[in-house]
């Protein structure tokens, strides 16, 4: 199963909008077939492994990170292929997170006389498909808020300024997060202060270009900014302004999509923006922004996971807090769960979740 997980990770940034899946076929203690899912190559991981195994698949055990599908979409059901190949046992990490199909694949395999075991390396498998799980159930992206801060919670020395806080190792880790993401969201304040490109510089292959999303209520995005001058139909601006304005047309001519979304109190409706991204098959959204956007996202309740890179430094008074939120919000703010703590060079990383996107799937595992 560890081999299946390793192969599944080869599908990061290549499998969406499908789940990330790896498969390994073992016979007489020897690997006879293996595969992972690449959306553009169509075949699911199980079918790739079966084709590579050929006749050796008969009597083999299939280790797969996700319940084999039993429906027809872009390809036929994997369960039919597994049965036809003569596989004798299937070991799966987890059920399909889609409520409409969870357990059906397992039942079909068992009816065909195949032994099915579920739950091996489940936590690891769940981690890599938490974005798919949320999107397939709600139509909304899985949202991760990431920020770098000092021990006293500051993200910059002053407003509209750039402060390097964490180490190069932590910044390299952020590139990995960008590679996992389908889209990256920031605010116009970050663009004006830093003029970033917001690209995936991991060097790893990806099927779709990273969508750069900017919240810009008054449409102040400079035409000469790095984001605009390097736009290749991969920059989306949410604004309150009309897409028919001269400013919006100029951005559109430069390869930037302008989408009008209204909200209250001069702000963009983040929940509506999230719904729009979900319609575009954006499964994984990474927020890299300043205090205003961080605060708005937390208040709107759209954040599923937080990743905080702490540098072992203290900035003192006068700095910019991680999020601008009214103090009255604290009494009803949700606590992070499933916390982990890891070191990143001289820094340390705290990660936690606001909600479980899988819900009560464990109770249905017996299916």
């Amino acid at each position: 199963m560890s081999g299946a997980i390793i192969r599944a990770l080869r599908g990061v940034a290549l499998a969406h909008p499908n789940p990330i899946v790896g498969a390994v076929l073992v016979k007489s203690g020897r690997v006879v077939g293996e595969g992972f899912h690449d959306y553009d190559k169509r075949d699911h991981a199980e079918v790739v492994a079966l084709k590579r195994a050929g006749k050796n698949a008969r009597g083999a055990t299939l280790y797969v990170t996700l319940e084999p599908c039993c429906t027809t979409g872009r390809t036929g059901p994997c369960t039919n292929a597994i049965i036809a190949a003569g596989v004798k046992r299937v070991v799966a990490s987890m059920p399909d997170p889609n409520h409409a199909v969870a357990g059906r694949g397992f039942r079909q395999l068992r009816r065909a006389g195949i032994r099915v075991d579920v739950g091996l390396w489940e936590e690891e498998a769940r981690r890599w498909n938490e974005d798919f799980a949320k999107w397939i159930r709600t139509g909304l992206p899985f949202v991760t808020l990431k920020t770098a801060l000092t021990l006293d919670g500051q993200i910059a020395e002053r407003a509209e300024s750039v402060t390097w806080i964490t180490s190069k190792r932590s910044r390299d880790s952020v590139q990995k997060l960008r590679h996992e993401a389908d889209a990256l969201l920031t605010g116009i304040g970050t663009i004006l202060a830093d003029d970033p490109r917001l690209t995936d510089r991991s060097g790893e292959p990806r099927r779709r270009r990273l969508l750069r999303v900017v919240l810009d209520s008054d449409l102040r995005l400079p035409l000469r900014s790095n984001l605009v001058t390097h736009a290749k139909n991969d920059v989306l601006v949410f604004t309150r302004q009309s897409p028919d304005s001269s400013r919006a047309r100029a951005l559109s001519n430069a390869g930037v999509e302008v989408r009008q979304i209204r909200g209250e109190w001069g702000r963009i409706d983040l929940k509506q923006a999230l719904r729009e991204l979900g319609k575009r098959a954006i499964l994984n959204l990474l927020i890299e922004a300043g205090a205003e956007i961080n605060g708005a996202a937390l208040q709107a309740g759209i954040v599923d996971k937080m990743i905080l890179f702490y540098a072992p430094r203290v900035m003192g008074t006068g700095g910019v807090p991680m999020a601008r939120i009214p103090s009255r919000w604290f009494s009803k703010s949700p606590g992070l769960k499933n916390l982990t703590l890891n070191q990143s060079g001289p820094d340390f990383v705290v990660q936690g979740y606001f909600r479980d996107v899988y819900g009560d799937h464990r109770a249905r595992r017996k299916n």
Side-chain angles (χ1 to χ4, degrees):
M1 187 59 78
S2 65
I5 291 287
I6 290 170
R7 285 158 179 80
L9 298 189
R10 294 176 62 186
V12 171
L14 297 175
H16 284 176
N18 283 354
I20 293 168
V21 183
V24 172
L25 271 166
V26 177
K27 186 175 184 179
S28 301
R30 183 173 64 90
V31 173
V32 295
E34 51 85 24
F36 71 96
H37 180 54
D38 181 332
Y39 186 84
D40 286 339
K41 294 181 180 178
R42 299 178 69 89
D43 281 343
H44 292 181
E46 304 95 312
V47 173
V48 174
L50 289 170
K51 287 182 176 180
R52 290 182 177 174
K55 294 181 179 179
N56 285 325
R58 184 162 298 279
T61 295
L62 172 67
Y63 293 86
V64 61
T65 58
L66 184 69
E67 177 179 4
C69 69
C70 58
T71 56
T72 299
R74 296 169 71 235
T75 66
C78 289
T79 49
N80 289 357
I82 293 168
I83 294 167
V87 172
K88 71 173 183 179
R89 182 187 178 204
V90 171
V91 181
S93 293
M94 57 178 286
D96 191 319
N98 186 348
H99 286 314
V101 298
R104 290 174 56 195
F106 293 146
R107 288 195 292 273
Q108 183 181 350
L109 294 174
R110 287 180 176 128
R111 284 197 300 267
I114 296 174
R115 175 181 169 183
V116 177
D117 297 299
V118 186
L120 186 61
W121 284 53
E122 182 176 9
E123 293 300 325
E124 187 74 6
R126 290 175 68 206
R127 149 73 181 98
W128 290 105
N129 276 314
E130 59 195 10
D131 44 19
F132 173 77
K134 183 183 178 185
W135 180 75
I136 199 67
R137 292 179 173 188
T138 69
L140 301 174
F142 182 89
V143 180
T144 300
L145 191 157
K146 162 264 155 188
T147 193
L149 62 169
T150 60
L151 292 177
D152 53 344
Q154 312 294 311
I155 62 173
E157 292 181 278
R158 61 185 183 280
E160 299 183 354
S161 69
V162 178
T163 306
W164 292 108
I165 293 177
T166 52
S167 65
K168 181 180 183 302
R169 182 174 295 184
S170 292
R171 295 195 293 274
D172 289 343
S173 295
V174 171
Q175 291 302 318
K176 293 180 181 179
L177 292 175
R178 288 185 182 182
H179 182 64
E180 294 174 19
D182 298 317
L184 189 156
L185 182 144
T186 195
I188 185 61
T190 297
I191 303 299
L192 296 177
D194 194 18
D195 193 23
R197 294 190 184 186
L198 301 176
T199 52
D200 171 6
R201 297 189 292 278
S202 67
E204 299 296 323
R206 58 183 308 132
R207 190 177 76 84
R208 302 182 290 184
R209 295 179 67 88
L210 178 67
L211 180 66
R212 281 85 57 80
V213 183
V214 182
L215 301 181
D216 184 6
S217 293
D218 299 320
L219 213 54
R220 294 184 291 157
L221 181 62
L223 290 170
R224 295 186 178 181
S225 64
N226 277 321
L227 205 62
V228 175
T229 56
H230 293 87
K232 296 182 179 179
N233 297 314
D234 57 356
V235 177
L236 170 63
V237 176
F238 287 128
T239 182
R240 295 185 300 122
Q241 307 304 310
S242 170
D244 296 324
S245 67
S246 59
R247 181 74 173 177
R249 288 197 298 270
L251 287 169
S252 180
N253 290 336
V256 175
E257 182 181 355
V258 178
R259 178 81 162 82
Q260 185 181 39
I261 292 183
R262 300 192 182 278
E264 297 180 346
W265 312 107
R267 286 185 171 183
I268 292 167
D269 186 334
L270 291 180
K271 292 183 178 179
Q272 185 179 342
L274 210 62
R275 288 192 293 271
E276 175 64 27
L277 292 174
K279 291 176 183 177
R280 297 168 184 244
I282 298 298
L283 279 60
N284 187 317
L285 175 66
L286 178 65
I287 297 179
E288 288 189 42
E292 297 294 337
I293 299 301
N294 288 347
L298 290 169
Q299 283 186 275
I302 67 169
V303 179
D304 297 294
K305 178 167 70 173
M306 287 186 70
I307 302 179
L308 308 175
F309 289 82
Y310 279 95
R313 303 170 63 186
V314 174
M315 187 173 292
T317 59
V320 179
M322 186 207 76
R324 295 196 188 280
I325 306 175
S327 58
R328 63 179 180 275
W329 184 75
F330 178 76
S331 62
K332 59 182 180 181
S333 63
L336 287 171
K337 303 174 182 178
N338 300 324
L339 289 173
T340 59
L341 175 64
N342 295 290
Q343 193 161 359
S344 176
D347 311 320
F348 63 93
V349 187
V350 176
Q351 175 178 295
Y353 293 80
F354 284 117
R355 62 181 64 86
D356 178 7
V357 297
Y358 287 96
D360 60 349
H361 78 286
R362 293 172 186 272
R364 295 188 301 275
R365 183 186 296 166
K366 62 183 181 180
N367 293 326

